[in-house]
Amino acid sequence: QVQLVESGGGLVQPGGSLRLSCVASGIAFRLRTMGWYRQPSGKQRDLVASITRDGITTYGDSVKGRFTISRDNTKNTAYLQMSSLRPEDTAVYYCNVNPSFDPYWGLGTQVTVSS
């Protein structure tokens, strides 16, 4: 009974910031590489950031220098700090293990960057 619950999305102006959270249950969170994914409306879902069990991070080219992924293993929570947001960052943001496992997808959280 895996559950991944994303929160923190919302409407923000270009140049603004948001912090997303993902609370995991039902998995050995401490042992898994976690990723943040996003899916713009009508487009495919892509990995944007990843963090290993030991805290090693990787980022998609479009978010490098703007987004920071982190995790708190004591809280089974992954975070995505997003800064300098652009309209093209608008998407539903999801967390999952990396590589993703389809049964784990949750509802995601909507991020809209617009004036």
Side-chain angles (χ1 to χ4, degrees):
Q1 296 157 343
V2 172
Q3 190 166 228
L4 300 172
V5 180
E6 301 93 345
S7 63
L11 175 64
V12 64
Q13 292 186 332
S17 299
L18 285 173
R19 183 177 175 86
L20 308 183
S21 298
C22 168
V23 179
S25 60
I27 64 169
F29 179 86
R30 179 177 58 85
L31 304 180
R32 305 300 299 272
T33 296
M34 298 298 298
W36 281 97
Y37 303 76
R38 68 185 182 188
Q39 186 170 35
S41 181
K43 298 183 179 181
Q44 69 179 39
R45 181 156 45 199
D46 290 330
L47 179 71
V48 299
S50 180
I51 184 166
T52 71
R53 59 188 286 184
D54 298 317
I56 306 302
T57 60
T58 57
Y59 298 92
D61 288 342
S62 65
V63 308
K64 287 179 181 176
R66 301 188 298 120
F67 290 11
T68 302
I69 188 171
S70 61
R71 67 193 295 160
D72 185 342
N73 288 339
T74 71
K75 299 179 179 179
N76 284 0
T77 301
Y79 304 94
L80 187 68
Q81 177 67 52
M82 305 184 295
S83 300
S84 301
L85 284 163
R86 305 165 180 169
E88 52 264 44
D89 295 319
T90 295
V92 178
Y93 284 71
Y94 302 87
C95 64
N96 206 324
V97 294
N98 180 21
S100 63
F101 187 54
D102 282 348
Y104 290 176
W105 294 116
L107 297 178
T109 186
Q110 174 71 229
V111 172
T112 302
V113 184
S114 177
S115 298

